[in-house]
Amino acid sequence: MSSQASGGSRRGVTIALATVVLLTAGLAGSATARQLGAWAPAVSAESLPGTSSELNTSSNDGCPIQSPDGLSLYQASNRPGGLGGIDIWVAHRTSTSAPFGEPVNLGAPINSSADDFCPTPVRGKGLFFVSSRTAAGACGGPDIYFSRRNPAHGWTEPANLGCQVNGAAGEAGPSYFEADGRAFLYFSSGPDIFMSVRGADGTFGPRTAVAELNTAAADLRPNVRKGGLEIVFDSDRPGTIGGPDLWFATRASVDDPWSTPVNAGSAINTAAGETRGSFSWDGATLYFGRGPGPEGGSDIFVTTR
């Protein structure tokens, strides 16, 4: 090879490496720019112009959570028109910038004459929720169930997750996410937060207490952001503004322990009780319940960052 060709080759490599460095720096800057900031003061979920005034009622409305595509808002409510006790309802919209319409009851087999609450929709899979129905295989208090959505035939008969997950004390706030090729389910049972990992056979294994999140207080209804690195839950531990407050914790990977939980502060928490916070798919929106609310025993609020 001639020295001229060799020199040209070296210059080409140098230029290529410089381009990679510039591209990497640009990507890093872009990633930094996408870091999420502080939460804005929370407002009623009905505040978006055009949103149905029936999102909150004089009844108890809570346990809100968006579908992964952001086009549906699930909630639990004991408003009139249900099948009995607390039912799961859902409001829809045409785009993520559009207002939500009036919530509709999901009906049977999701809802029953018992209390059915804490819905958690899963992209392409179905719905986790909690029910106090008396069914074969029930484990004690309200248990976590799962139902698949069939486009042609509707919801399948809900299946109890089993007593390796559910306990006698009663469950609440199931939160499902996938990370590093694994599937996780977080939830509260009694006054503590637990997690379970799905096995190769598709079932969730024995539950494990999440020690770094639990205290002598009631630590309840966890919701883990997509990717598994941020969690929100409600707790009446020391340091609350009033009643149960929302608290946040983070971690570097799904195999690391959670950081010491931090109170969400006065933009979200008040002298009332804030419960069951839930992240949108992109983590920029947070829905939660507040009780007493301005319209009823509890109402749905929202904040963005």
Side-chain angles (χ1 to χ4, degrees):
M1 179 183 293
S2 69
S3 58
Q4 182 179 3
S6 177
S9 176
R10 285 194 298 271
R11 284 193 297 273
V13 171
T14 301
I15 292 171
L17 287 173
T19 301
V20 169
V21 170
L22 288 172
L23 286 172
T24 303
L27 288 172
S30 176
T32 302
R34 288 196 300 270
Q35 290 297 313
L36 299 172
W39 293 105
V43 297
S44 168
E46 294 179 352
S47 63
L48 182 66
T51 296
S52 170
S53 62
E54 295 303 308
L55 215 58
N56 290 319
T57 67
S58 59
S59 300
N60 291 323
D61 304 298
C63 269
I65 187 169
Q66 270 193 17
S67 58
D69 62 9
L71 300 182
S72 299
L73 181 65
Y74 290 76
Q75 67 182 89
S77 178
N78 64 349
R79 65 183 63 193
L83 275 65
I86 303 171
D87 276 3
I88 296 172
W89 300 69
V90 62
H92 300 291
R93 60 183 177 181
T94 56
S95 74
T96 54
S97 60
F100 282 109
E102 182 175 349
V104 296
N105 191 289
L106 256 61
I110 299 297
N111 292 319
S112 67
S113 59
D115 289 336
D116 305 290
F117 54 97
C118 281
T120 300
V122 179
R123 183 187 293 273
K125 291 182 171 63
L127 185 77
F128 289 98
F129 68 100
V130 179
S131 178
S132 60
R133 64 188 66 192
T134 54
C139 303
D143 286 348
I144 302 174
Y145 288 77
F146 180 75
S147 175
R148 293 190 178 278
R149 176 78 174 183
N150 184 305
H153 304 290
W155 296 102
T156 61
E157 190 64 31
N160 190 298
L161 263 58
C163 299
Q164 78 282 3
V165 172
N166 295 312
E171 281 63 52
S175 176
Y176 173 90
F177 68 94
E178 297 175 356
D180 295 344
R182 291 172 285 171
F184 301 83
L185 186 72
Y186 274 66
F187 55 95
S188 61
S189 181
D192 292 323
I193 294 172
F194 289 81
M195 59 87 68
S196 173
V197 181
R198 190 177 63 193
D201 63 354
T203 63
F204 285 93
R207 66 188 195 172
T208 303
V210 187
E212 63 269 30
L213 300 179
N214 294 324
T215 64
D219 305 303
L220 305 170
R221 292 171 284 265
N223 183 258
V224 183
R225 182 180 166 190
K226 181 191 73 169
L229 304 185
E230 184 177 21
I231 190 170
V232 60
F233 61 96
D234 57 90
S235 176
D236 61 357
R237 64 183 61 195
T240 61
I241 295 175
D245 279 358
L246 297 188
W247 298 72
F248 293 98
T250 58
R251 59 185 177 182
S253 79
V254 293
D255 295 314
D256 288 323
W258 293 99
S259 64
T260 300
V262 176
N263 189 286
S266 58
I268 292 176
N269 294 319
T270 65
E274 282 72 35
T275 58
R276 215 282 172 117
S278 64
F279 295 104
S280 61
W281 188 251
D282 63 3
T285 302
L286 184 82
Y287 285 89
F288 61 94
R290 176 180 290 167
E295 294 188 41
S298 63
D299 288 335
I300 297 170
F301 277 71
V302 62
T303 176
T304 57
R305 60 180 176 180

